[in-house]
Amino acid sequence: MQDIAIVIPARWASVRFPGKPLHLLAGKPLVQHVWERCREARRVPRALIATDDERIAAAATGFGAEVILTSPDHPTGTDRLAEVARKLPDIRALINVQGDEPLVDPALIERLATELRQERALEMITAASPFGPADDPENPNQVKVVLDRAGNALYFSRAPIPHQRESGGFCAARYRHLGIYGYSSAFLHKFVTWQPTDLEMTERLEQLRALEYGTRIRVLLTEHFSLGVDTPEDARAAEKLLDRP
């Protein structure tokens, strides 16, 4: 089925970790691990790497990936994805898997694809997992999301939401947002014409622009939580997990 494609954005110019996509983990570039995991999602047979860097493009071509070169001037990752959508007019929807997620769950990718196929009016979908007792909901780098009764996002925040007035206990309505998205191509074309919104700029979360413009964002719940690689320390931790049998 070629109606949906997986897109893995990969940029060289990471502030905290320059050259991150080509950092070697267990003998392979980070972005290759992500691509190989995506290829395990059999219901979405097309997975490609979108990059603005010739070094990443050459490496990706070398290990057999399809590559799309994109502009280096995009203000957001969603703008980059919209360029990919314009270059793939035969694809109805895209699933965006971050290029620093070497342990992304192929089954979760397939669940997003299934929802997009079954509900063709759905414009945007993402995922979240419950916080565990050892997790820190106060960490602003871990985005939180609260849902309505239909499983759609009410709000995303870097702050702990909802606020718990009474001490003690655990708020079951609070989930940790996972950075995987599915979009209809038509929605991407529309999204990039909208001006950034106040909530988006305050929280530095692009998905709030979609909510402010009235988009329904479906949120799939999963127990899976993959370690993202933001720093060299994260890379070492991920490598240990990849080395496990």
Side-chain angles (χ1 to χ4, degrees):
M1 288 179 283
Q2 293 289 329
D3 57 327
I4 298 176
I6 301 166
V7 179
I8 306 164
R11 295 176 62 249
W12 186 272
S14 168
V15 174
R16 289 186 288 179
F17 198 167
K20 179 171 61 172
L22 298 188
H23 181 82
L24 293 181
L25 295 180
K28 298 178 183 177
L30 169 60
V31 72
Q32 182 175 353
H33 286 286
V34 181
W35 178 76
E36 289 177 352
R37 295 281 285 198
C38 290
R39 297 274 288 173
E40 293 177 27
R42 302 301 182 190
R43 296 177 188 173
V44 194
R46 189 174 185 181
L48 56 92
I49 293 170
T51 185
D52 57 6
D53 190 275
E54 293 285 355
R55 291 163 292 187
I56 296 171
T61 301
F63 58 72
E66 179 182 359
V67 176
I68 288 186
L69 282 169
T70 59
S71 168
D73 300 323
H74 291 306
T76 70
T78 311
D79 289 277
R80 187 177 312 279
L81 210 66
E83 180 184 350
V84 174
R86 288 193 296 272
K87 292 181 175 179
L88 299 175
D90 56 322
I91 297 296
R92 188 185 64 82
L94 299 177
I95 294 176
N96 183 4
V97 175
Q98 298 300 322
D100 56 8
E101 294 277 352
L103 298 166
V104 64
D105 182 13
L108 180 58
I109 296 172
E110 292 192 339
R111 286 181 62 199
L112 266 68
T114 297
E115 289 282 323
L116 287 166
R117 289 187 176 117
Q118 290 180 345
E119 191 173 342
R120 295 181 70 88
L122 191 61
E123 294 183 305
M124 186 171 177
I125 187 170
T126 187
S129 64
F131 276 97
D135 295 324
D136 179 18
E138 302 282 343
N139 183 351
N141 294 318
Q142 183 56 71
V143 176
K144 276 67 68 174
V145 59
V146 288
L147 312 180
D148 67 16
R149 292 185 178 273
N152 300 313
L154 287 170
Y155 191 68
F156 297 85
S157 181
R158 297 186 183 278
I161 53 171
H163 173 69
Q164 195 164 328
R165 292 187 63 183
E166 303 295 332
S167 61
F170 180 74
C171 179
R174 182 186 299 153
Y175 297 99
R176 168 177 45 199
H177 179 230
L178 308 181
I180 182 171
Y181 292 98
Y183 306 93
S184 72
S185 295
F187 170 76
L188 284 168
H189 301 324
K190 182 170 59 176
F191 179 90
V192 296
T193 68
W194 296 337
Q195 290 297 313
T197 60
D198 290 342
L199 290 178
E200 175 189 5
M201 300 300 289
T202 298
E203 296 262 20
R204 293 293 188 266
L205 296 173
E206 292 172 49
Q207 62 268 38
L208 292 178
R209 187 190 318 181
L211 286 181
E212 284 198 78
Y213 277 92
T215 303
R216 177 170 55 101
I217 304 177
R218 177 68 46 78
V219 182
L220 298 184
L221 297 180
T222 176
E223 295 296 325
H224 180 83
F225 178 70
S226 65
L227 175 66
V229 176
D230 292 321
T231 65
E233 292 74 21
D234 292 337
R236 287 190 285 272
E239 189 164 37
K240 291 178 182 178
L241 295 172
L242 288 166
D243 282 338
R244 290 181 182 177

